[in-house]
Amino acid sequence: MPEEPTVPQPDVRIREIAPRLTFQNHPVPTEVKTELVRRLLDAGVRSFELSSFVRPDLVPGLADAAEVFARVPRVPGLTLGACVGNTRGLARAADAGADTASFLLSVDEGFARANIGRSTADSLAELERMAAFAADRDLVLDTYLIFAWGGPTGPARGAADLEPLARRLLDIGVDRWILADSVGYAAPPQIRELVTAALAHVPADHLTVQIHDGRGMGLAALLPLLDLGVRAIDTSLAGSGGHPAMPGSQGGGVCTEDAVQLLELAGVSTGIDLSRLIDTANWLTDEVGIPGKGFVRHTGPVPAAGRPAEPLAFAW
């Protein structure tokens, strides 16, 4: 039989986090979540943070996590991840068929105590127990470093702040990290400094960067990642997101469709169809009613061969 054609691998793997980040703050029926994923699959997205296995009384918008995992169509190359806060959540993620589970470790001590009622040190002890659990199962355990560049209760953070935490994580045996600029503190120099420090401890293919565009620097912060060899980036469709216990906070991730256009113009392939992505972003914001941001879905993509500019529409 003839061999199936090889699908080129993208230069950057975009992981879409809206199914978790957005719906934790804007509850919708399970059918809407699976429809979003279906549309994103049609656009070429193959990596998702699908939900969180956390207490449903605290995050009711994600209480259907197991059902969402069960309903998502499996296609070649698909990777499905989930957030977890303890060993119980890790076990639920494994049972649901998650490929990866990400521990929600806050670098900001004040946020950690307010959000989950335990210190960062206590969270690290829990992560150590989880690492032992995951080692016996076919599940990749990584960890967020939420507020890696600084958090709401403290100043901006730099490379020196990362060192003791990095050593502790490696002692535990967790060497896959998601550096999250959760409040948008980092411009390109700060991105470069902290990511360079992280790469002294883990290889580039073990590092994901997630930027929340709270201060308008999100897109600019992506370009240094390419120079540093980071090829895993978390984004959120239409820049959507939020935290259920922090109403009004700027909790959206960097906008997926804007990021894909930037990477495309930089000559970096993502494997994602920008036109379909824009249609899906408009569906999410207009038809579902999820608050969104972004530019390209309003203005249209940069014109190119086969993709002409919109005709002028003067008022006189």
Side-chain angles (χ1 to χ4, degrees):
M1 295 182 64
E3 294 184 1
E4 294 187 4
T6 302
V7 178
Q9 292 298 308
D11 296 325
V12 164
R13 188 164 180 84
I14 295 286
R15 186 174 71 148
E16 178 56 62
I17 61 174
R20 190 274 297 182
L21 185 67
T22 301
F23 296 141
Q24 72 178 10
N25 197 45
H26 303 282
V28 298
T30 305
E31 292 76 14
V32 171
K33 299 176 184 180
T34 54
E35 175 64 13
L36 172 63
V37 174
R38 186 193 67 76
R39 289 171 180 259
L40 289 167
L41 288 171
D42 288 345
V45 178
R46 290 296 181 268
S47 184
F48 294 87
E49 186 173 73
L50 202 56
S51 194
S52 289
F53 290 91
V54 292
R55 285 175 52 181
D57 59 322
L58 295 180
V59 191
L62 302 181
D64 60 351
E67 187 176 359
V68 172
F69 268 88
R71 291 192 186 189
V72 167
R74 286 352 189 225
V75 299
L78 181 64
T79 301
L80 299 178
C83 287
V84 295
N86 52 38
T87 306
R88 182 170 59 255
L90 181 61
R92 292 173 61 203
D95 291 343
D99 301 299
T100 65
S102 302
F103 181 64
L104 292 164
L105 175 66
S106 174
V107 177
D108 185 271
E109 188 77 27
F111 181 87
R113 293 183 181 278
N115 191 45
I116 57 175
R118 66 184 180 213
S119 66
T120 300
D122 290 339
S123 292
L124 286 165
E126 179 66 28
L127 179 58
E128 188 168 14
R129 291 188 287 270
M130 294 168 67
F133 180 93
D136 296 330
R137 290 159 177 81
D138 188 20
L139 180 66
V140 174
L141 174 66
D142 56 37
T143 186
Y144 270 97
L145 278 72
I146 303 172
F147 305 115
W149 279 267
T153 68
R157 299 171 61 90
D161 300 298
L162 177 68
E163 289 301 312
L165 183 57
R167 291 193 295 269
R168 177 75 175 107
L169 289 172
L170 293 178
D171 288 343
I172 291 172
V174 177
D175 64 351
R176 293 177 181 270
W177 305 341
I178 304 168
L179 299 181
D181 186 11
S182 311
V183 284
Y185 281 0
Q190 290 77 45
I191 292 288
R192 186 178 296 277
E193 178 198 16
L194 193 66
V195 171
T196 298
L199 291 173
H201 296 281
V202 297
D205 61 353
H206 282 205
L207 197 64
T208 298
V209 175
Q210 180 181 120
I211 297 165
H212 290 221
D213 202 13
R215 289 172 168 78
M217 298 183 286
L219 287 177
L222 295 184
L223 293 179
L225 301 178
L226 305 180
D227 296 336
L228 294 168
V230 175
R231 293 294 182 263
I233 298 171
D234 285 355
T235 64
S236 184
L237 193 69
S240 58
H243 192 289
M246 300 172 68
S249 62
Q250 296 290 323
V254 69
C255 180
T256 303
E257 59 273 21
D258 287 356
V260 168
Q261 176 172 252
L262 174 68
L263 294 169
E264 182 180 284
L265 291 172
V268 177
S269 68
T270 63
I272 298 173
D273 185 298
L274 181 58
S275 295
R276 291 187 178 185
L277 195 64
I278 291 170
D279 289 342
T280 303
N282 288 332
W283 171 83
L284 180 68
T285 58
D286 298 340
E287 296 190 36
V288 180
I290 300 298
K293 299 180 181 179
F295 290 94
V296 67
R297 68 186 182 88
H298 296 295
T299 61
V302 173
R307 193 169 67 196
E310 294 292 327
L312 293 175
F314 278 88
W316 66 82

